[in-house]
Amino acid sequence: KELLFEMIACEMIKLLCRVENIKFEKNQPVRDQLQRLAEEEIKLLQSKEVMAGSTVFIREALNNPSLVTSALQKLDQYEHPINTWFVDASEAGIIKSSHPEFVSEQFVAVIKGFCFWPQVVQCLPFPDSSKQKMVIDAVVDMIIKQYVE
């Protein structure tokens, strides 16, 4: 059982790091880049593979927390493309934060608050395209107002 869970956890890690690698481009509008990042994250989160794997992962977390701790430590070894974008934007002076990883976590947390957790925990349907656009606009505005302007 532990080996099976470890295999599922490894697949989940690969899936979660599969967001299209959108590189920070200093000469491109930040808003456009953030919107694309959010769109790609939502597309990934609504995939059947991520939803199914997350459900297994969460169930096992309740039954065997030590297995999950081990899997999460492995996740820390992977560089998430969204995190890389925020680090690069910070190094270019666009994102004004000495902790771009924290800004990246905020960005993803807002998205998951509407487009992941309600679906996994409450079995709610995934937001339709108009709600997704509302989430994307809100998270992009939040990041720009807090860390760019």
Side-chain angles (χ1 to χ4, degrees):
K1 183 177 177 180
E2 290 179 15
L3 182 59
L4 178 60
F5 180 76
E6 189 171 316
M7 289 171 50
I8 291 169
C10 285
E11 286 304 310
M12 282 299 297
I13 290 168
K14 289 176 189 174
L15 282 171
L16 293 172
C17 291
R18 194 176 72 184
V19 171
E20 184 179 326
N21 194 5
I22 299 169
K23 299 201 182 294
F24 171 73
E25 300 287 340
K26 189 169 185 162
N27 297 325
Q28 296 297 317
V30 174
R31 178 173 297 279
D32 293 349
Q33 292 182 68
L34 287 168
Q35 285 177 319
R36 188 154 173 242
L37 282 171
E39 289 166 359
E40 289 299 321
E41 182 72 3
I42 289 172
K43 186 178 6 173
L44 174 67
L45 292 173
Q46 71 181 334
S47 73
K48 291 178 184 177
E49 300 93 351
V50 169
M51 281 292 147
S54 297
T55 302
V56 170
F57 200 82
I58 290 168
R59 281 189 196 134
E60 193 59 36
L62 297 171
N63 295 323
N64 196 342
S66 63
L67 277 179
V68 174
T69 301
S70 173
L72 290 176
Q73 287 171 344
K74 289 179 183 167
L75 179 60
D76 287 342
Q77 297 170 8
Y78 287 82
E79 189 65 32
H80 194 285
I82 290 177
N83 192 54
T84 301
W85 187 94
F86 278 95
V87 169
D88 292 348
S90 176
E91 288 173 358
I94 301 299
I95 296 292
K96 294 166 181 65
S97 172
S98 56
H99 302 288
E101 298 86 358
F102 179 74
V103 180
S104 176
E105 287 178 36
Q106 286 180 308
F107 181 80
V108 172
V110 169
I111 293 169
K112 285 183 175 179
F114 294 95
C115 299
F116 179 76
W117 289 116
Q119 293 70 41
V120 172
V121 176
Q122 298 172 292
C123 298
L124 295 177
F126 211 85
D128 63 22
S129 60
S130 65
K131 175 82 179 234
Q132 289 178 34
K133 183 178 178 345
M134 192 180 343
V135 171
I136 291 167
D137 290 345
V139 73
V140 169
D141 286 345
M142 178 190 80
I143 295 298
I144 288 175
K145 287 176 184 174
Q146 184 67 29
Y147 299 106
V148 177
E149 294 178 343

